[in-house]
Amino acid sequence: MPSFSAAVRQRRSLPLFLADAAAASDGSEVVEENGDDTSLEDTTASSKTRLDRMKGWVGLGGSNKKKEDDGLTFRQKLSKAGLAVVLSYGAVSNFSYGISMSIAWYGFSRKTGLSPLAPDQWKPFLAVYSAFFVFNNIVRPIRFAASVAVAPYFERMIQAVQRKTKLPRGWSIGLCVFAVNIVGTLSLMATGITIASTLAGVPPFPGKA
């Protein structure tokens, strides 16, 4: 005579047997529905994974980031992105700070009627500029995203210099960095400060008393 527990197990297995029988009688529809559900789940999971990866790269990911990205500093993520991104990030950052300095220069000169280069005005100007400096750090993920977009053009420029000058790649990279990150940044700052001073009506270099 079967035990009580064996009878309970038999009764519990009966609904499963009936469900399997119903599935077997209508197998094509079940397979099709399961296939659609699986395809939908795979597509959703794939889209979510790509979105999480993009958020992780720009620093917007939450606690659901992949494990291999956890613990990486921004500098490590930047290095992982590749040389072209690192170089373009330097250019984008320099241009961003140059534009911020021009805006701060205009605001300071417009408010005080003095140039930041006037006696005892540099420290007050730096106090104004510090707000823009903090803002630039806040929007660092945006600068990184812009660097990723600019990186292919930076790489093409390096290849063009290498092709025309016949120099090794290292020298070509150095020339591009000097031209863009140094000459380009200084030119942008000089132009921006000139425009800011003109709009504020205050010459950048104060006259001698």
Side-chain angles (χ1 to χ4, degrees):
M1 182 175 180
S3 64
F4 176 76
S5 59
V8 171
R9 286 196 298 270
Q10 184 177 3
R11 292 188 62 185
R12 286 182 177 176
S13 63
L14 182 59
L16 296 177
F17 172 79
L18 295 177
D20 291 340
S25 64
D26 195 13
S28 60
E29 293 183 3
V30 172
V31 171
E32 183 178 356
E33 290 179 4
N34 290 340
D36 291 342
D37 292 342
T38 303
S39 177
L40 179 60
E41 290 176 359
D42 291 343
T43 303
T44 303
S46 178
S47 300
K48 186 175 180 181
T49 301
R50 287 195 295 267
L51 180 60
D52 290 342
R53 189 182 298 115
M54 291 174 64
K55 287 182 177 181
W57 274 117
V58 299
L60 298 176
S63 59
N64 294 328
K65 290 191 299 182
K66 285 190 173 182
K67 185 176 181 181
E68 57 265 24
D69 287 340
D70 292 340
L72 290 180
T73 64
F74 180 79
R75 188 182 298 274
Q76 290 171 333
K77 290 182 179 180
L78 191 61
S79 299
K80 189 177 179 181
L83 178 62
V85 175
V86 173
L87 297 177
S88 60
Y89 180 79
V92 170
S93 297
N94 288 346
F95 290 168
S96 177
Y97 286 118
I99 293 172
S100 297
M101 174 169 283
S102 300
I103 297 174
W105 194 290
Y106 168 78
F108 180 84
S109 297
R110 183 75 174 177
K111 182 178 180 180
T112 63
L114 297 171
S115 168
L117 298 180
D120 301 325
Q121 298 302 312
W122 187 247
K123 286 185 177 180
F125 168 73
L126 291 181
V128 175
Y129 176 69
S130 63
F132 290 91
F133 186 85
V134 172
F135 175 77
N136 272 287
N137 284 332
I138 294 175
V139 299
R140 177 183 289 177
I142 299 177
R143 287 190 284 129
F144 181 81
S147 303
V148 173
V150 172
Y153 300 99
F154 211 104
E155 178 63 29
R156 290 175 192 171
M157 182 172 65
I158 294 173
Q159 294 177 358
V161 171
Q162 189 175 7
R163 208 167 41 244
K164 291 181 179 297
T165 62
K166 307 300 182 182
L167 290 172
R169 180 173 173 82
W171 283 95
S172 300
I173 291 174
L175 286 176
C176 291
V177 170
F178 177 78
V180 177
N181 289 19
I182 298 179
V183 177
T185 300
L186 293 177
S187 299
L188 177 66
M189 289 178 60
T191 303
I193 290 174
T194 301
I195 295 174
S197 300
T198 302
L199 294 177
V202 178
F205 300 102
K208 294 183 179 181

